[in-house]
Amino acid sequence: MNFTPGDTQTLLDIMRSRRDVRGKSFLATPLEEEKIELILQAALAAPSVGYSQPWEFILIDDETIKEKIHKNFCCENEKAKEIFAEKEKYRELKLEGIREAPLNIAVLYSPQKKPVLGTTSMQKMGEYSVVCAIENMWLMARSLDIGMGWVSILNEKSVLNTLKAPPQKQLIAYLCLGYVSSFASEPELKTLKWEKEKQRSELLHRNRYNNSSSSKP
Ligand SMILES: Cc1cc2nc3c(=O)[nH]c(=O)nc-3n(C[C@H](O)[C@H](O)[C@H](O)COP(=O)(O)O)c2cc1C
């Protein structure tokens, strides 16, 4: 299969307009089954170390379960508030959309029982494979004009317990999905001046690591 420059541009447009969506940006409109299916197909098309496909997905639309996960978030977020110097600014951030999003998806890593090709030296490759699946979901969702938000301010063991998942599974992501009122044009944490966008010169090196921030590849 060959792609056109137009396809490449579309892919880049989808990547650049993907946003982390939270709170009131979500609409209550339920997601169509065929759209959810496309998002899951995107997840299952991801690369995985040794083709281990070490992912599992729990689709959650039960309000009681969402409420429990939201309580878990509130508890963890209370602790998080104490960690940051800019406490007041942190308090104003909306960092989840668990109850507002019509669909939540917990993405689990399933540790493999036998050795996996590619994980013999670098052991976290299984978890990283699951993250590849999540990014695929995020991009597919955006291409369908569906917003997705990643919530990680959660007690992992409690989430697994709430979802009745076996304790050997790991929670990689708790995702909130739904149609949105609008997509922001840039990361919210940039708009709110929580973090600055890094310059390319800080991030790219050529041939060897260069500590000088002025070096350009
Ligand atoms: C691994 C991971 C965990 C994240 N956890 C949270 C979270 O708990 N709450 C939140 O509001 N955003 C979370 N985010 C979203 C980031 O804050 C967001 O991706 C970043 O600010 C850039 O904004 P953008 O995704 O809209 O481009 C997470 C993102 C990643 C990749």
Side-chain angles (χ1 to χ4, degrees):
M1 194 186 276
N2 293 316
F3 297 101
T4 65
D7 295 331
T8 305
Q9 188 56 48
T10 303
L11 179 60
L12 195 56
D13 289 344
I14 294 167
M15 287 171 171
R16 285 190 172 145
S17 55
R18 182 210 53 76
R19 289 277 77 80
D20 185 79
V21 177
R22 307 158 181 131
K24 292 202 167 56
S25 300
F26 283 114
L27 305 175
T29 321
L31 296 178
E32 303 87 336
E33 283 305 320
E34 59 273 22
K35 305 274 173 76
I36 299 171
E37 171 58 24
L38 281 169
I39 294 168
L40 293 173
Q41 280 184 31
L44 299 176
S48 64
V49 66
Y51 195 43
S52 53
Q53 305 148 79
W55 38 58
E56 290 183 61
F57 306 86
I58 304 178
L59 278 65
I60 303 147
D61 55 11
D62 181 308
E63 298 303 329
T64 315
I65 298 177
K66 282 199 214 167
E67 199 59 53
K68 277 190 188 159
I69 303 284
H70 183 257
K71 282 212 176 88
N72 178 332
F73 166 82
C74 292
C75 184
E76 292 300 301
N77 203 36
E78 275 309 311
K79 294 185 236 165
K81 281 173 190 163
E82 299 308 314
I83 293 169
F84 295 96
E86 300 155 290
K87 284 196 179 58
E88 288 314 311
K89 205 170 176 184
Y90 185 91
R91 264 170 216 285
E92 284 164 20
L93 299 173
K94 175 75 178 161
L95 297 172
E96 52 77 40
I98 298 166
R99 294 176 303 179
E100 296 89 343
L103 179 68
N104 293 183
I105 303 183
V107 188
L108 308 186
Y109 165 61
S110 198
Q112 310 291 290
K113 291 184 185 80
K114 54 185 177 77
V116 174
L117 184 158
T119 62
T120 45
S121 299
M122 297 173 75
Q123 273 106 38
K124 292 212 170 146
M125 294 302 133
E127 289 93 320
Y128 297 162
S129 303
V130 182
V131 177
C132 292
I134 296 162
E135 176 68 348
N136 274 9
M137 295 168 79
W138 222 334
L139 296 175
M140 177 59 84
R142 183 62 189 89
S143 81
L144 298 165
D145 289 329
I146 291 169
M148 183 171 119
W150 186 326
V151 188
S152 51
I153 306 163
L154 290 168
N155 179 296
E156 180 184 359
K157 291 277 168 289
S158 303
V159 173
L160 292 174
N161 194 33
T162 301
L163 301 177
K164 309 266 181 276
Q168 68 273 19
K169 308 285 176 188
Q170 285 177 37
L171 178 73
I172 301 295
Y174 193 88
L175 307 173
C176 304
L177 290 103
Y179 287 109
V180 297
S181 45
S182 65
F183 284 95
S185 59
E186 61 175 17
E188 202 175 284
L189 295 183
K190 179 182 176 190
T191 310
L192 298 173
K193 299 197 177 0
W194 180 265
E195 285 290 352
K196 290 197 187 76
E197 183 175 353
K198 291 185 180 166
Q199 298 304 303
R200 286 171 65 107
S201 56
E202 294 176 72
L203 306 173
L204 303 180
H205 308 271
R206 181 157 298 207
N207 293 322
R208 58 183 60 82
Y209 194 92
N210 195 325
N211 286 304
S212 151
S213 59
S214 62
S215 73
K216 295 209 172 60

